């Protein structure tokens, strides 16, 4: 073996992750995908709170920049598996799903004859009438059922689109690389998300039209679903008679969506990041302290190695 070959073999061996089997990966791909990618890509795809060597502030910053639905479109890390186009699709799907689930809750109250404005409980501050806060049944439904289903949808779409198992450092990295359809394997999740988002947008559009029709005509039965005298053709034909005022509920939703993105999201994600909900030790809820503890256990026994920040390596 020539000195050049020995040097190349030594470099390849030194870059090999001890937690990933690279023996089935072609040499040209191994050289093109760096150890940094095999370390960071799975963590980015898993929405990790902690990157190796990062401080508390650096971790919080990278978590927000990489995971925020809006800010992440332009400010995500260059190695993140979700690029700008994918993030725009995910954001559009999240908005459409939120519209759908919000109006489904509204239509459920109308169709069942329940009062969405019924007070569940109230909060009085200093016994002043101006400080009376009322929590309605509709708000409880949106905060619990609506928000829960919306969160599950967002995380599902994120996981499928990121498809970390076939990316660098993933479980099936070698299988996807050796496949003649390598790019299709890695982008399968993206294609699936595009289809799913298209279906969600279509469903949300239909639900919005139903609500606008019910609000405009004062109906208490859902057209086509409960009111059998209404056909799909009637619903489509009624669109041309709509006015902008019939969709005023969409303006309210857009304001709520913007507030949730730039006020509630940073707050609640910071709470999860802190790990206080999981006493800093429980999986999922342990936040950054739990992941730091896992990294320390993994590196236990390795001494004399300088911890280099992932952002410095990039």
């Amino acid at each position: 073996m020539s000195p050049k070959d020995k040097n190349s073999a030594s470099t390849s061996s030194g870059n090999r992750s001890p937690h990933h089997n690279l023996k089935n990966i072609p040499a040209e791909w191994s050289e093109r995908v760096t150890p940094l990618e095999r370390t960071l890509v799975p963590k980015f795809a898993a929405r990790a709170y902690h990157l190796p060597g990062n401080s508390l502030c650096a971790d919080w910053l990278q978590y927000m920049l990489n995971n925020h639905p809006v800010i992440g479109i332009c400010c995500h890390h260059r190695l993140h598996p979700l690029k700008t186009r994918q993030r725009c699709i995910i954001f559009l799907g999240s908005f459409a799903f939120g519209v759908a689930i919000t109006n489904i809750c509204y239509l459920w109250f109308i169709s069942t004859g329940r009062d969405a404005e019924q007070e569940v409980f109230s909060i009085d501050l200093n016994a002043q009438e101006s400080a009376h806060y009322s929590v309605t049944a509709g708000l409880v439904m949106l905060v619990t059922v609506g928000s829960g289903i919306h969160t599950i949808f967002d995380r599902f779409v994120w996981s499928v689109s990121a498809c970390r198992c076939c990316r660098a450092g993933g479980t099936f990295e070698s299988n996807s690389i050796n496949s003649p359809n390598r790019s299709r394997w890695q982008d399968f999740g993206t294609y699936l998300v595009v289809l799913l988002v298209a279906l969600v947008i279509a469903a949300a559009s239909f639900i919005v039209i139903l609500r606008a029709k019910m609000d405009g005509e004062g109906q208490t039965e859902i057209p086509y679903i409960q009111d059998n005298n209404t056909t799909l053709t009637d619903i489509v034909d009624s669109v041309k008679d709509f006015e902008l005022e019939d969709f005023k509920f969409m303006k309210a939703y857009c304001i709520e969506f913007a507030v949730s993105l730039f006020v509630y999201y940073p707050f609640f994600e910071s709470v999860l990041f802190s790990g206080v909900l999981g006493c800093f030790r429980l999986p999922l809820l342990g936040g950054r302290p739990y992941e730091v503890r896992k990294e320390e256990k993994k590196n236990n026994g390795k001494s004399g190695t300088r911890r280099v920040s992932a952002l410095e390596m990039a």
Side-chain angles (χ1 to χ4, degrees):
M1 182 182 297
S2 65
K4 181 178 180 180
D5 294 337
K6 291 181 179 180
N7 186 34
S8 175
S10 176
T11 303
S12 175
S13 176
N15 289 339
R16 183 175 301 175
S17 171
H19 307 287
H20 189 75
N21 187 4
L22 305 179
K23 64 182 181 179
N24 295 325
I25 298 180
E28 63 274 11
W29 181 263
S30 181
E31 294 176 357
R32 189 152 39 111
V33 180
T34 65
L36 178 64
E37 291 182 74
R38 293 196 179 95
T39 300
L40 293 186
V41 170
K43 289 184 176 295
F44 285 145
R47 302 169 66 98
Y49 298 109
H50 174 63
L51 298 183
N54 274 8
S55 63
L56 175 63
C57 293
D59 274 333
W60 184 88
L61 183 62
Q62 70 83 17
Y63 182 78
M64 288 299 172
L65 294 182
N66 286 311
N67 298 306
H68 193 279
V70 177
I71 299 176
I73 293 176
C74 301
C75 301
H76 60 273
H77 193 276
R78 64 181 179 83
L79 294 180
H80 202 289
L82 295 183
K83 306 305 180 185
T84 300
R85 184 179 301 178
Q86 295 168 283
R87 289 173 180 269
C88 290
I89 295 174
I90 292 175
F91 176 77
L92 184 60
S94 178
F95 179 84
F97 190 86
V99 170
I101 197 66
T102 300
N103 287 284
I104 286 175
C105 292
Y106 172 83
L107 294 178
W108 181 81
F109 276 103
I110 296 297
S111 62
T112 57
R114 292 177 170 83
D115 184 10
E117 300 300 323
Q118 180 182 358
E119 184 177 272
V120 178
F121 63 90
S122 61
I123 301 175
D124 293 315
L125 299 178
N126 300 326
Q128 297 178 3
E129 184 178 354
S130 59
H132 178 82
Y133 298 93
S134 177
V135 178
T136 64
L139 179 61
V140 172
M141 171 72 80
L142 290 176
V143 171
T144 55
V145 178
S147 298
I149 297 176
H150 196 176
T151 301
I152 293 174
F153 173 82
D154 286 345
R155 293 302 174 99
F156 173 76
V157 169
W158 175 283
S159 300
V160 172
S161 187
C163 194
R164 62 171 175 166
C165 60
C166 294
R167 302 283 180 179
T171 305
F172 303 111
E173 178 191 12
S174 59
N175 295 336
S176 61
I177 290 173
N178 288 323
S179 171
N181 300 319
R182 178 173 59 203
S183 59
R184 295 182 182 179
W185 273 100
Q186 295 184 343
D187 295 333
F188 173 77
T190 301
Y191 301 143
L192 183 61
V193 167
V194 170
L195 175 61
L196 180 60
V197 168
L199 295 176
V200 169
I201 292 175
S205 301
F206 179 73
I207 294 172
V208 167
I209 293 174
L210 285 183
R211 176 169 178 178
K213 182 177 177 61
M214 291 181 65
D215 288 350
E217 301 178 0
Q219 297 182 5
T220 57
E221 292 185 343
I222 303 177
Y224 183 72
I225 297 177
Q226 291 181 313
D227 184 4
N228 296 327
N229 295 325
T230 303
T231 64
L232 286 176
T233 304
D234 296 333
I235 296 175
V236 174
D237 291 341
S238 66
V239 173
K240 61 183 179 181
D241 299 326
F242 287 151
E243 298 180 357
L244 187 61
E245 188 67 16
D246 295 328
F247 298 96
K248 61 182 180 180
F249 60 89
M250 286 298 299
K251 179 181 178 181
Y253 174 77
C254 290
I255 296 175
E256 294 173 2
F257 191 67
V259 172
S260 67
L261 285 176
F262 296 103
V263 178
Y264 297 143
Y265 184 92
F267 173 76
F268 287 110
E269 288 296 333
S270 295
V271 172
L272 292 174
F273 177 87
S274 69
V276 66
L277 297 180
C279 300
F280 314 109
R281 294 180 176 275
L282 298 179
L284 300 180
L285 297 177
R288 181 182 182 273
Y290 173 77
E291 295 188 2
V292 171
R293 187 174 289 106
K294 282 184 59 178
E295 181 187 4
E296 290 176 349
K297 289 182 179 179
K298 182 184 296 185
N299 295 333
N300 189 26
K302 294 182 180 180
S303 58
T305 304
R306 176 179 176 267
R307 297 178 61 188
V308 180
S309 168
L311 297 181
E312 294 177 359
M313 295 174 65

